[in-house]
Amino acid sequence: MSWQVADIALIGLAVMGQNLILNMNDHGFVVCAYNRTTDKVKAFLENEAKGTNVVGAFSLEEMVNKLKSPKRVMMLVKAGSAVDAFIDKLVPLLSQGDIIIDGGNSEYKDTERRTKDLESKGILFVGSGVSGGEEGARYGPSLMPGGNPKAWPHIKPIFQAICAKADGEPCCDWVGDNGAGHFVKMVHNGIEYGDMQLIGEAYHIMRNGLNLNNEQMSNIFAQWNKEELDSFLIEITSNILKYKDQEGYLLERIRDTAGQKGTGKWTAISALDYGVPVTLIGESVFARCLSALKDERVEASKLLKGPSTKFNGDVKSMTEALKKALYLSKIISYAQGFMLMKEAAKVHNWNLNYGGIALMWRGGCIIRRRSTNPNLSNLMIDDFFAKALNSCEQSTRLIIGLAINLGLPTPALSTALAFYDGYRTAKLPANLLQAQRDYFGAHTYELLGQENKFVHTNWTGHGGNVSASTYDA
């Protein structure tokens, strides 16, 4: 056997890295495993990878020497400086046309910088979203590669072999140039934040509003997973609700303070940067921040009053309405995510494959859902989704009204309905806002029927006729 035996190398032997290596091995690819702490390489080869074709390396030089050309090196390491440190060490060991793949949750602007920097050195860089968690990595993740398009033909056979399949189609395609892959993964993670918050609010309404027990709630989520709400998160929520140990239901003993790693926050910041109203993800990030104020909330619960109303209606009809409210809100969240991707694509000249992205998100990824025609200006006006929204909006109003009357917070469900009502309103009160801006700051306004002509009014008779320069805010 020649020295150059491996099809691809993978750096980073945490659970995601190990599972991805074993997945590649299952599909006939020889993988060279490397970790900065080389004891992990030895342990992996002697345990999880025992009996496979996986080879190990105990230095980066050894790892690179075991690779066939063009050399393909994938990293699954912590985002940020660790990625740059490995790139700096790898570049002197690689040749023209070799490929470095970052499979971590890197910020898309870092991926843009790395792609351009490495292209000048003759190295092809790929920033790829990897979704599906531990199980996805092992048996079929959703992969979202972007970066230098010259790398795609060389990684496509591996990526499309190991990824999840939906109706026989691989849940992986080239997303776009430079930071496009990591941008799409960031939006995916942001939508996941929204989905999790929405499910949490539904659980809160069922538990504290409808007074359902864990078994009842678990059964409802299990049923929803057989219908239009079917998704990985709905599925696992059903399992979590019914999980018991020797002390009873575990969920009820878990501290109600949510952690976050930053990708939801990045999505919300990007939404502000690009001027796109991604309200549901923003509210979901803020809800996690509010949950972190546990001690303050406990104190406030003793001082601040809420309604004493109790629900005494029909539970079955209300859970059906809750299902519809959740469905409407999920559609809104996806629509907002696609709005953000479209705007970023316009700014960066990314030729995003929206149909491919919709397919990528169907199988293997945590926000597993279905989509029909994503090339419209907004998913909400797709015939399928418009019909679904119209059939769910009354139920959503009923649920939010119930939550308000019971004093239960529903930031994500409420903002979904607010966005729905805003988007379907032909004339919003922003005319008053523009008048106010012109009144106090001479910022000008446009008259209906005279668009693109900015005028200023001396509202009081005391101000001048000089207007401020126009700008978009």
Side-chain angles (χ1 to χ4, degrees):
M1 185 182 284
S2 74
W3 181 238
Q4 294 172 314
V5 292
D7 299 297
I8 188 168
L10 196 141
I11 299 172
L13 293 181
V15 67
M16 286 287 287
Q18 290 191 19
N19 283 351
L20 212 56
I21 290 171
L22 296 173
N23 185 349
M24 291 176 182
N25 177 79
D26 288 349
H27 287 87
F29 300 103
V30 177
V31 189
C32 182
Y34 175 78
N35 197 82
R36 189 168 55 88
T37 310
T38 52
D39 287 348
K40 280 194 173 182
V41 179
K42 187 171 182 290
F44 179 54
L45 294 175
E46 291 173 355
N47 294 284
E48 293 85 359
K50 191 174 183 180
T52 68
N53 292 321
V54 176
V55 296
F58 296 89
S59 69
L60 287 174
E61 291 80 1
E62 182 189 353
M63 180 194 79
V64 169
N65 286 335
K66 286 187 174 177
L67 289 170
K68 300 171 187 172
S69 290
K71 298 177 189 295
R72 294 166 285 202
V73 179
M74 185 168 185
M75 296 179 289
L76 274 175
V77 299
K78 189 177 179 183
S81 58
V83 176
D84 287 319
F86 270 114
I87 290 171
D88 290 344
K89 290 173 184 170
L90 283 167
V91 167
L93 307 175
L94 299 175
S95 307
Q96 287 272 127
D98 287 343
I99 299 159
I100 298 174
I101 306 158
D102 174 16
N105 271 333
S106 289
E107 194 168 7
Y108 78 97
K109 290 178 182 176
D110 285 340
T111 305
E112 296 243 294
R113 167 180 57 79
R114 290 163 185 153
T115 305
K116 289 168 184 172
D117 181 47
L118 287 170
E119 186 174 29
S120 69
K121 297 171 183 172
I123 307 294
L124 310 180
F125 186 75
V126 172
S128 179
V130 179
S131 177
E134 297 172 27
E135 190 176 339
R138 183 66 186 87
Y139 299 108
S142 172
L143 298 170
M144 299 158 237
N148 193 319
K150 293 176 188 169
W152 179 230
H154 303 290
I155 65 171
K156 181 179 179 179
I158 299 176
F159 273 36
Q160 292 198 336
I162 67 168
C163 71
K165 309 297 186 293
D167 300 327
E169 291 290 311
C171 295
C172 168
D173 206 345
W174 186 251
V175 175
D177 295 354
N178 298 319
H182 272 136
F183 190 89
V184 168
K185 177 58 163 61
M186 177 194 74
V187 174
H188 159 280
N189 283 18
I191 292 172
E192 180 189 310
Y193 268 57
D195 273 6
M196 293 169 79
Q197 177 63 27
L198 289 167
I199 291 168
E201 290 174 19
Y203 155 69
H204 198 183
I205 289 169
M206 281 193 267
R207 184 189 67 181
N208 291 49
L210 307 182
N211 299 311
L212 299 177
N213 62 38
N214 284 50
E215 287 296 326
Q216 290 171 315
M217 290 187 285
S218 176
N219 291 337
I220 289 167
F221 277 103
Q223 182 58 40
W224 287 355
N225 196 48
K226 297 173 186 173
E227 300 166 355
E228 57 265 40
L229 283 175
D230 76 293
S231 70
F232 177 75
L233 288 170
I234 293 285
E235 180 184 333
I236 67 168
T237 300
S238 175
N239 295 336
I240 289 166
L241 279 159
K242 67 184 178 187
Y243 183 87
K244 293 169 87 170
D245 59 17
Q246 60 273 22
E247 294 180 52
Y249 292 108
L250 176 60
L251 178 60
E252 303 314 317
R253 304 198 310 275
I254 295 175
R255 194 167 188 263
D256 56 314
T257 55
Q260 51 185 314
K261 288 194 171 180
T263 45
K265 182 177 77 173
W266 293 347
T267 312
I269 291 169
S270 291
L272 291 168
D273 284 343
Y274 292 109
V276 180
V278 185
T279 57
L280 201 145
I281 294 169
E283 285 292 353
S284 300
V285 173
F286 288 135
R288 291 196 187 193
C289 297
L290 180 60
S291 79
L293 305 177
K294 175 67 174 177
D295 294 341
E296 290 181 45
R297 289 189 289 112
V298 170
E299 283 303 306
S301 70
K302 300 168 188 172
L303 297 169
L304 303 178
K305 291 182 179 178
S308 57
T309 316
K310 302 291 182 191
F311 176 75
N312 57 8
D314 180 52
V315 171
K316 194 170 189 300
S317 64
M318 202 53 75
T319 54
E320 183 64 24
L322 185 57
K323 178 182 76 172
K324 290 185 176 182
L326 199 51
Y327 191 38
L328 176 140
S329 301
K330 279 172 169 273
I331 293 171
I332 298 295
S333 187
Y334 278 71
Q336 291 181 350
F338 270 80
M339 287 167 67
L340 179 57
M341 289 191 291
K342 282 176 182 280
E343 182 59 29
K346 193 164 73 177
V347 170
H348 292 277
N349 293 314
W350 293 335
N351 184 24
L352 293 186
N353 177 1
Y354 297 107
I357 291 165
L359 179 62
M360 283 178 239
W361 288 0
R362 280 183 63 184
C365 85
I366 287 172
I367 57 169
R368 186 179 77 223
R369 284 299 305 136
R370 285 150 180 73
S371 181
T372 50
N373 181 4
N375 288 310
L376 292 166
S377 59
N378 192 302
L379 290 184
M380 292 167 67
I381 56 173
D382 170 84
D383 287 344
F384 175 84
F385 289 120
K387 186 177 177 183
L389 290 167
N390 287 333
S391 72
C392 293
E393 57 100 13
Q394 284 299 321
S395 294
T396 308
R397 296 181 201 286
L398 181 66
I399 288 297
I400 291 170
L402 173 71
I404 290 169
N405 288 331
L406 296 177
L408 300 175
T410 54
L413 287 166
S414 297
T415 201
L417 183 62
F419 181 85
Y420 172 83
D421 282 336
Y423 192 73
R424 67 173 187 82
T425 300
K427 188 171 182 180
L428 290 167
N431 53 330
L432 175 58
L433 190 149
Q434 283 297 85
Q436 291 169 333
R437 293 176 72 242
D438 190 55
Y439 189 110
F440 66 67
H443 290 300
T444 74
Y445 54 86
E446 300 167 279
L447 289 167
L448 289 169
Q450 297 180 38
E451 285 76 14
N452 298 316
K453 181 184 175 185
F454 294 88
V455 293
H456 166 59
T457 292
N458 181 350
W459 296 88
T460 61
H462 303 300
N465 292 314
V466 178
S467 63
S469 57
T470 26
Y471 59 89
D472 290 325

